Amino acid sequence: MEEVRAKILKVLDAIPKGVLYSTTDWHRITGEDKREIRRALDELEEEGKIEKLDSGRPDKPLYRLKDRDETP
């Protein structure tokens, strides 16, 4: 799980702020299991490191890195 989380944060940190990724995108980028990706995304969101956006399809939510100055 830590490896999946690290991959997600690394990619989000390296891309322009406006770029958004869904669970399917993460599966394609990392090659990890979608269930593991969903768990990692949920954990990162709960920790305040990323945010889930209201845009996108309900079955494919979009995520982005939270602003560093907003992160608790």
Side-chain angles (χ1 to χ4, degrees), residues 8 12 19-29 34-35 37-43 45 50-65:
I8 290 170
L12 285 174
V19 178
L20 307 172
Y21 289 112
S22 72
T23 308
T24 301
D25 297 324
W26 288 116
H27 171 67
R28 190 175 61 242
I29 292 166
K34 288 184 183 181
R35 292 169 294 200
I37 293 168
R38 281 191 198 100
R39 280 196 288 272
L41 289 168
D42 288 344
E43 286 181 9
E45 184 181 15
I50 64 172
E51 62 184 325
K52 184 182 346 181
L53 303 177
D54 293 332
S55 58
R57 293 176 18 188
D59 62 327
K60 292 184 182 182
L62 300 173
Y63 295 88
R64 70 176 173 199
L65 194 61

